[in-house]
Amino acid sequence: MSVDTCYLIKHSFRKIHDRDACIRFCEDTMSRICEYLHEDICFLCRDYEDDDCYSFEMYNHMTTFYLRADFWEIVSIERQLDHISCDNVHPINSARADIFNLALALGQKECWFCEDYLCSNSDLDSLYTTFDEWIRFKPEEWVDPTVYEFDVNDFLNKKDKDIYGFIKHKYHDDFRDIFAKMQEVETQFPGFKLITAPAGNPKAEKDGQLYTINLRKQTVELVEKEYEQFDDDEYIDAFYRIRNHSFEDCLNDLCFVKDDRIIKRMITAIIQSEIKRMESFFITPKRREKIAEYKKALEYLEM
């Protein structure tokens, strides 16, 4: 059964038959995302070997980008349910906030989404797939190819078991509720322009400076750090060990990381992203224990 979610975000690149142009477009897109989000981002698994496939992975966002004829196909490990689920406390969940931020980084204000058997894990898995082909795609008789408008109010405060019966195969999300919330926050903080989703601690710009806004405490903090783009597969070896073992078992790896500024920053960014991802789900005792391990590792890296 499919579990991954595919997001479609349109682009205006049309030199799909030009190998060098495709590679440049991928590289430029990575730089654009990093600069817009102001994040330390690790890009891995760049696949340019095959003329019919151009892709890259945003490791600390757990997403893979595939270039298509007139759109980006972004495959996320999140389930479609993770994009849809919401409540009054978290009307903008982390999965939806992340794809909203990526859409803005790519210069768009909307996305389409479905499960992977209607996109990457299907006959549409091709560089030359067009958006219109996806719209019409109906692999089985039981699949409804209609694209439905996503409305957060249809799913607000519903339990997962109740949502399953209402989920459609294909959705369009114009993020209208997120944009409305952005305007609300900008009214509360005059002069600040939000550049990420108004959830948690969104980023905002004012007078050429970058800030984070703590919505719960209603405070603003200037962001002074510089951000880097990482792209070496070797850098994540230590993190794989941190993920699979306890903090004490990984001390030698962390000592190695601390000796290299670039590796240290990249591992720190990945751990922070992993904590954010895990905290967005229901916190089980096992997950709480792993989050504590990650936070302990961060404290050590910051010493």
Side-chain angles (χ1 to χ4, degrees):
M1 181 178 178
S2 299
V3 294
D4 294 339
T5 301
C6 289
Y7 293 100
L8 285 69
I9 296 181
K10 291 183 177 180
H11 63 67
S12 58
F13 178 75
R14 295 295 179 264
K15 298 180 180 179
I16 210 72
H17 297 283
D18 186 330
R19 173 178 170 78
D20 291 338
C22 287
I23 293 175
R24 284 196 303 273
F25 184 59
C26 287
E27 300 289 330
D28 290 345
T29 298
M30 285 182 263
S31 296
R32 179 174 184 170
I33 292 171
C34 188
E35 291 171 4
Y36 184 88
L37 296 180
H38 298 276
E39 287 186 19
D40 292 320
I41 295 178
C42 180
F43 293 102
L44 301 175
C45 305
R46 303 186 186 194
D47 186 358
Y48 305 146
E49 298 299 322
D50 187 341
D51 289 349
D52 290 342
C53 181
Y54 301 93
S55 67
F56 58 86
E57 178 183 347
M58 279 181 66
Y59 183 79
N60 42 334
H61 281 254
M62 304 297 179
T63 57
T64 303
F65 285 62
Y66 295 92
L67 181 61
R68 303 306 187 208
D70 53 3
F71 65 91
W72 282 109
E73 177 186 332
I74 304 173
V75 181
S76 169
I77 64 169
E78 307 281 10
R79 302 168 300 164
Q80 195 175 17
L81 184 66
D82 296 324
H83 183 98
I84 287 172
S85 299
C86 56
D87 55 39
N88 287 328
V89 178
H90 302 100
I92 306 171
N93 65 45
S94 62
R96 190 159 174 250
D98 284 345
I99 198 64
F100 173 80
N101 294 339
L102 287 176
L104 293 186
L106 296 174
Q108 302 295 325
K109 296 182 178 180
E110 60 187 342
C111 79
W112 290 258
F113 63 96
C114 61
E115 288 192 315
D116 59 10
Y117 65 85
L118 289 174
C119 209
S120 64
N121 189 19
S122 74
D123 292 339
L124 297 182
D125 184 19
S126 168
L127 170 67
Y128 305 102
T129 298
T130 66
F131 182 77
D132 286 342
E133 287 176 326
W134 177 79
I135 290 287
R136 299 192 303 269
F137 187 56
K138 181 180 171 69
E140 303 288 347
E141 279 303 315
W142 53 269
V143 172
D144 180 2
T146 306
V147 178
Y148 291 85
E149 290 297 321
F150 176 75
D151 187 339
V152 69
N153 294 311
D154 292 340
F155 302 98
L156 200 62
N157 297 319
K158 283 188 170 65
K159 296 181 179 179
D160 289 357
K161 62 182 180 65
D162 298 325
I163 290 177
Y164 277 116
F166 293 94
I167 293 181
K168 306 299 183 182
H169 292 120
K170 299 179 180 180
Y171 280 103
H172 169 249
D173 192 346
D174 62 7
F175 305 118
R176 66 178 63 188
D177 58 304
I178 299 183
F179 283 115
K181 181 64 176 179
M182 289 181 83
Q183 291 184 339
E184 179 183 322
V185 172
E186 288 173 351
T187 299
Q188 294 174 348
F189 296 88
F192 288 89
K193 177 177 175 54
L194 290 190
I195 63 173
T196 61
N201 299 316
K203 296 185 180 75
E205 293 178 338
K206 182 178 181 180
D207 299 330
Q209 299 274 15
L210 180 68
Y211 298 83
T212 57
I213 299 177
N214 187 313
L215 296 179
R216 184 174 64 85
K217 296 181 179 179
Q218 294 287 290
T219 57
V220 176
E221 182 178 346
L222 178 67
V223 177
E224 298 178 344
K225 64 178 282 190
E226 295 293 326
Y227 294 90
E228 296 189 35
Q229 175 177 325
F230 305 106
D231 53 21
D232 192 329
D233 292 16
E234 295 180 1
Y235 290 173
I236 67 166
D237 287 348
F239 175 69
Y240 275 127
R241 291 191 283 273
I242 295 169
R243 168 184 277 180
N244 296 322
H245 301 90
S246 69
F247 171 75
E248 284 73 15
D249 292 336
C250 297
L251 277 179
N252 288 336
D253 295 323
L254 292 176
C255 288
F256 161 71
V257 167
K258 286 184 71 173
D259 291 337
D260 188 299
R261 182 187 64 85
I262 295 178
I263 297 179
K264 175 182 174 181
R265 287 193 62 178
M266 198 209 69
I267 297 295
T268 299
I270 291 175
I271 292 177
Q272 289 172 337
S273 180
E274 189 76 355
I275 291 173
K276 176 184 176 183
R277 185 184 70 84
M278 293 183 72
E279 289 182 336
S280 69
F281 297 111
F282 178 74
I283 306 297
T284 62
K286 185 176 181 180
R287 187 169 288 145
R288 184 179 294 109
E289 181 180 336
K290 197 61 188 178
I291 290 173
E293 291 281 353
Y294 285 154
K295 290 184 176 179
K296 193 174 180 181
L298 281 181
E299 291 174 1
Y300 180 76
L301 289 171
E302 292 170 356
M303 289 171 57

